[in-house]
């Protein structure tokens, strides 16, 4: 059985707007935590995550996916670990994401 891949990108609110936009390079990994660490993170950084299946996308396809599809989940960096944002907060923030 193959592992599922995730596209992970750091996101931030767009200046003067409510949309979340990708602010750093996009990473692909089978582990969300590994991708977050490769991007680099400080406490409070927000990451959007897209599950893309068992075929690893190339960097261009991963970036295009991150720019055009709503994320499946959002994660926040706390301490040295990313944690998934849950419940109503997640839904309200996902509505602000482009895609």
């Amino acid at each position: 059985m193959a592992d599922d891949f995730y596209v992970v990108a750091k996101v931030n609110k767009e200046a003067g707007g409510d949309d979340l936009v990708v602010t750093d390079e996009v990473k692909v990994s089978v582990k969300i935590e590994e991708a977050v660490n490769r991007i680099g993170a400080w406490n409070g950084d927000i990451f959007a995550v897209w599950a893309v299946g068992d075929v690893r996308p190339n960097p261009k396809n991963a970036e295009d996916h991150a720019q055009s599809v709503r994320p499946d989940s959002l994660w926040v960096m706390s301490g040295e670990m990313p944690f998934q944002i849950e419940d109503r907060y997640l839904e309200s923030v996902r509505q602000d994401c482009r895609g």
Side-chain angles (χ1 to χ4, degrees):
M1 184 170 119
D3 290 323
D4 285 338
F5 288 94
Y6 299 95
V7 172
V8 180
K10 190 182 297 185
V11 293
N12 205 344
K13 283 220 179 214
E14 188 174 55
D18 290 329
D19 288 341
L20 290 178
V21 295
V22 173
T23 60
D24 214 323
E25 67 183 300
V26 174
K27 297 291 185 186
V28 177
S29 181
V30 294
K31 295 183 179 177
I32 294 167
E33 296 84 356
E34 180 182 292
V36 166
N37 288 332
R38 288 187 359 233
I39 293 170
W42 295 93
N43 274 339
D45 283 350
I46 304 289
F47 294 86
V49 176
W50 297 263
V52 292
D54 61 355
V55 176
R56 183 184 186 95
N58 68 41
K60 175 69 173 128
N61 288 347
E63 188 172 319
D64 289 347
H65 191 83
Q67 295 289 345
S68 62
V69 178
R70 281 195 182 182
D72 296 314
S73 62
L74 294 173
W75 294 64
V76 63
M77 191 67 172
S78 180
E80 296 181 13
M81 292 292 297
F83 293 93
Q84 188 171 359
I85 300 171
E86 299 285 344
D87 301 323
R88 284 180 273 169
Y89 179 73
L90 171 62
E91 285 306 311
S92 68
V93 173
R94 283 185 68 201
Q95 294 302 315
D96 291 341
C97 289
R98 290 184 178 169

